[in-house]
Amino acid sequence: MAFTKKTVRDIDVDGKKVLMRVDFNVPLKDGVVTDDTRVRAAIPTIQYLKEHNAGIILMSHLGRPKGDGAEPALTLKPAADKLAELTGYDVKFVADTYGDEAAEACAAVKPGDILVLENVRFLKAEKKNDPEVAKKFASYADIFVLDAFGTAHRAQGSVVGAAEFIPAVAGFLLEKEVDTLTGIFADPERPFVAVVGGSKVSSKIGVLENLIESANTLIIGGGMAYTFFLAKGYSVGKSLQEPDWIERAGEMLKKAEEKGCQILLPVDNIVADHFGEDAEGVVVASDSIPDDMMGMDIGPETEKLYCDAVKAAKTVFWNGPMGVFEIEQFAHGTQAVAEAIADSDCTSIIGGGDSVAAINKFGLADKMSWISTGGGASMELVEGKALPGVEALLDA
Ligand code: ADP
Ligand code: MG
């Protein structure tokens, strides 16, 4: 599906000042960025703006400040330094966001300059999307650019505010994320196989229901499988389960059949008598989980079934691990499915915090077509929801 909003390509930025909301919410250790994925992801748009002679002002949040003033541990300075290191550009930083110091620094920005403002969440006003904050942001620049896909689902000051007062367009990361994640519903190359795992049915219900509409096959793994087992009348012992969601899970199985979406559930499982690093796994069939055991991973037969389905796919969307992958002896199912996706020529799209962590842990990131930089935002798109940040932009 074509992106329906204007991007930086559709607006004249030459000699203009651009305020860009990026997602520099990076992990820090002792004031140093430990994973620069998000900084790298913002570079194409920054480069484009610089090459097109715009003055660039960047803003972002980082971590979870209390919202009543500066917190030295959560300053954006390390992210600004990382940007300078990765691009070789001269990157200025101002330890202010809403005050006179920020306003003066923004006023001094010349074409080709890059200025990073301090963490937008040092003040509560950001989260409340206070109109005064929005006006302030808009006063810094001529054009607003949203490239912070990871926060595009939040109607907060730095995400949607300025768009009310100055022309607002998308950056390349935002465009690519929205295009890719909505594309699996618009016109996926088929067969389209969706793989959904993770802990709970309740947190993924919108994702599952929307995927049934588009996918040829929906593979279910992880803790959520056990609520589906209950819907099929199997007993699940001490496995993770959500009794309130059994009916809904059953309805989903029926609906999938009506829609012609094949649902695959585990045929066997690795179970253990307790949850822990020292737990020992045993393989059991899905209809014979002992009362005193809990499901920790998909079993070997299921692994084969799922890998075969993935290998036959032209498009794969994956969210949620197949088992408790944080514990080595229960990571096998997740790793096997991840490797099958990595080895295939299909278009592979990965979303969700823990799934991405798993892919990185297995060293397979380079082999995927697209790894979403947004957890919550990517899930909302896959649920079929509109993102407030995107809605606020100019229509193409
Ligand atoms: P994502 O962040 O990729 O969307 P989720 O947050 O939904 O994924 O789920 C990830 C969590 O699900 C992991 O911490 C994993 O340990 C847990 N999980 C997977 N399988 C099981 C299981 N059988 N029992 C309990 N927890 C599980
Ligand atoms: Mg998660």
Side-chain angles (χ1 to χ4, degrees), residues 148-159:
F149 175 68
T151 42
H153 59 313
R154 308 257 185 237
Q156 297 173 348
S158 66
V159 179

Side-chain angles (χ1 to χ4, degrees), residues 197-200 203-204 221-224 226 239-240 275 295-297 319-326 351-356 379:
S199 47
K200 293 178 173 175
S203 68
K204 299 275 168 80
M224 70 167 61
Y226 304 104
S239 304
L240 189 71
F275 192 103
M296 303 293 276
D297 195 5
N319 166 258
M322 296 290 97
V324 185
F325 75 98
E326 297 92 337
D354 292 290
S355 323
V356 175
M379 287 306 102

Side-chain angles (χ1 to χ4, degrees), residues 10-352:
D10 304 315
I11 197 162
D12 182 16
V13 299
D14 190 345
K16 303 272 172 57
K17 239 180 254 185
V18 170
L19 175 68
M20 176 151 101
R21 175 55 156 106
V22 290
D23 181 3
F24 281 177
N25 183 25
V26 288
L28 294 176
K29 192 159 189 273
D30 304 325
V32 177
V33 178
T34 54
D35 178 349
D36 60 15
T37 308
R38 286 179 163 168
V39 178
R40 284 179 191 276
I43 291 176
T45 311
I46 294 169
Q47 225 155 23
Y48 176 94
L49 291 172
K50 191 169 162 71
E51 282 163 10
H52 287 76
N53 199 38
I56 305 160
I57 303 159
L58 302 175
M59 59 180 175
S60 176
H61 75 284
L62 195 163
R64 295 174 183 213
K66 286 183 208 71
D68 40 40
E71 290 177 42
L74 295 176
T75 174
L76 267 176
K77 177 81 168 50
D81 292 343
K82 181 53 81 177
L83 176 64
E85 181 195 317
L86 291 171
T87 57
Y89 295 152
D90 180 23
V91 177
K92 297 188 182 70
F93 173 77
V94 58
D96 183 27
T97 318
Y98 311 93
D100 293 344
E101 230 189 299
E104 278 164 31
C106 290
V109 167
K110 302 270 176 303
D113 286 356
I114 302 174
L115 169 71
V116 177
L117 303 180
E118 184 55 287
N119 194 336
V120 294
R121 286 195 191 157
F122 281 171
L123 277 190
K124 280 208 177 63
E126 158 69 4
K127 282 203 176 179
K128 284 193 282 195
N129 189 15
D130 185 324
E132 289 311 307
V133 169
K135 266 190 220 162
K136 175 117 245 172
F137 285 148
S139 76
Y140 293 161
D142 307 304
I143 294 165
F144 176 72
V145 175
L146 181 68
D147 209 28
F149 175 68
T151 42
H153 59 313
R154 308 257 185 237
Q156 297 173 348
S158 66
V159 179
V160 296
E164 282 178 47
F165 302 98
I166 51 176
V169 299
F172 300 133
L173 173 67
L174 185 73
E175 177 190 39
K176 173 80 181 168
E177 289 271 16
V178 175
D179 236 8
T180 305
L181 290 162
T182 55
I184 58 177
F185 297 99
D187 190 19
E189 226 194 310
R190 295 183 181 279
F192 168 30
V193 175
V195 184
V196 182
S199 47
K200 293 178 173 175
V201 176
S202 57
S203 68
K204 299 275 168 80
I205 196 81
V207 168
L208 291 164
E209 287 184 339
N210 211 26
L211 284 171
I212 283 174
E213 304 285 333
S214 177
N216 300 92
T217 302
L218 173 61
I219 291 176
I220 293 176
M224 70 167 61
Y226 304 104
T227 298
F228 282 94
F229 284 0
L230 289 170
K232 286 172 67 100
Y234 300 166
S235 56
V236 300
K238 296 192 292 178
S239 304
L240 189 71
Q241 54 200 276
E242 294 179 284
D244 293 347
W245 291 85
I246 298 172
E247 211 181 308
R248 193 78 178 266
E251 284 165 13
M252 208 182 305
L253 294 175
K254 245 178 77 194
K255 195 171 150 210
E257 206 176 311
E258 286 162 19
K259 296 265 171 199
C261 171
Q262 178 193 31
I263 292 202
L264 296 181
L265 283 164
V267 291
D268 60 352
N269 312 268
I270 312 275
V271 299
D273 62 359
H274 71 283
F275 192 103
E277 295 283 345
D278 60 343
E280 260 178 69
V282 187
V283 179
V284 299
S286 293
D287 58 1
S288 34
I289 298 178
D291 286 346
D292 57 349
M293 299 290 243
M294 58 178 77
M296 303 293 276
D297 195 5
I298 56 174
E301 260 188 67
T302 309
E303 230 176 59
K304 183 161 185 319
L305 181 74
Y306 287 8
C307 289
D308 286 346
V310 160
K311 282 179 197 152
K314 287 265 166 53
T315 306
V316 173
F317 169 75
W318 182 25
N319 166 258
M322 296 290 97
V324 185
F325 75 98
E326 297 92 337
I327 301 178
E328 202 190 330
Q329 60 274 35
F330 307 119
H332 203 272
T334 304
Q335 183 156 4
V337 173
E339 278 169 1
I341 298 173
D343 286 344
S344 131
D345 294 333
C346 68
T347 301
S348 48
I349 300 153
I350 320 294

